[in-house]
Amino acid sequence: MSSVLENLQSAIVRQLREHLCLVGATVVARRAADLESQIEVATQAALGLSVIVLDPCPQRVEPDAPGPVFLEIAVTVRVIENLLINQTGGGLLKTAERAGRALHLWPLPEPWAGCVLRLADHNPWTTPTSPTRGAVALDLHFLAAGSFAAEEPR
C-alpha cells in the first residue's frame, strides 16, 4: 500500500507530464527508499532535460488529530539540463517556468479536494549543486496546504 506522500508525489508527476510534454522533458519521481527509482533518476539526469519530483516532506501537522494529519507538505521539483547533450528544444529556465505554471495554485485532485499546491513564499527557486558534469539545475519549492490524513498501514 502506498502512502499519502507517495500518492501526492505521483499526482504531481502526472500533472507535470501532462504540461511538459511539448518541452521534451522527461518527468520522474525520486523515492529515497526505492532503488529502481534511484536508477531511473540517475539515467534521466544524464539525458538532455529532465524534471525530478523529490520526496515530499511534511512541514506542519495537526497536533491534536490522530493519524497524523499533515497541514503543509513541502515538495521540491528539480529541473536538470545537460548542456552538452540537450537537443529537446527546451532549456532549464523555460522548463522551470512551465513547471511553475503547471503547479502553482494547482487544486489537487481527489482525495485532497480543497488542497492547493503553491510556490513557496520565500526562495521559491534555488540552485542546487549540479548533479553531473556539464549539467545545470534549478529546484522549485512548493507547499501543499490543506488536510492530508496519513493512511493506515495494512
Side-chain angles (χ1 to χ4, degrees):
M1 181 176 157
S2 60
S3 74
V4 67
L5 298 174
E6 288 174 341
N7 290 338
L8 175 62
Q9 186 181 33
S10 295
I12 292 168
V13 167
R14 285 190 301 275
Q15 174 75 353
L16 286 171
R17 283 181 178 160
E18 184 177 309
H19 284 82
L20 295 180
C21 62
L22 298 177
V23 179
T26 304
V27 181
V28 296
R30 184 196 76 188
R31 293 197 167 104
D34 179 14
L35 180 60
E36 186 176 315
S37 101
Q38 295 291 335
I39 293 169
E40 183 179 16
V41 166
T43 303
Q44 296 304 324
L47 298 176
L49 188 61
S50 59
V51 178
I52 302 166
V53 180
L54 304 180
D55 297 310
C57 184
Q59 299 296 299
R60 289 190 323 121
V61 65
E62 178 61 52
D64 298 321
V69 175
F70 305 124
L71 299 177
E72 199 169 74
I73 300 172
V75 179
T76 299
V77 174
R78 179 166 292 160
V79 180
I80 302 171
E81 179 184 12
N82 188 321
L83 299 169
L84 303 174
I85 61 172
N86 182 18
Q87 295 181 1
T88 63
L92 182 71
L93 293 176
K94 179 180 186 179
T95 304
E97 287 176 13
R98 285 194 179 186
R101 279 196 301 273
L103 296 178
H104 182 59
L105 300 182
W106 174 49
L108 296 174
E110 291 292 336
W112 308 294
C115 300
V116 174
L117 192 68
R118 62 177 170 76
L119 278 165
D121 295 340
H122 301 286
N123 299 318
W125 289 21
T126 58
T127 307
T129 304
S130 291
T132 59
R133 191 172 194 182
V136 291
L138 280 173
D139 282 350
L140 284 72
H141 304 284
F142 294 90
L143 292 172
S147 181
F148 302 86
E151 298 175 11
E152 276 294 315
R154 295 182 187 190

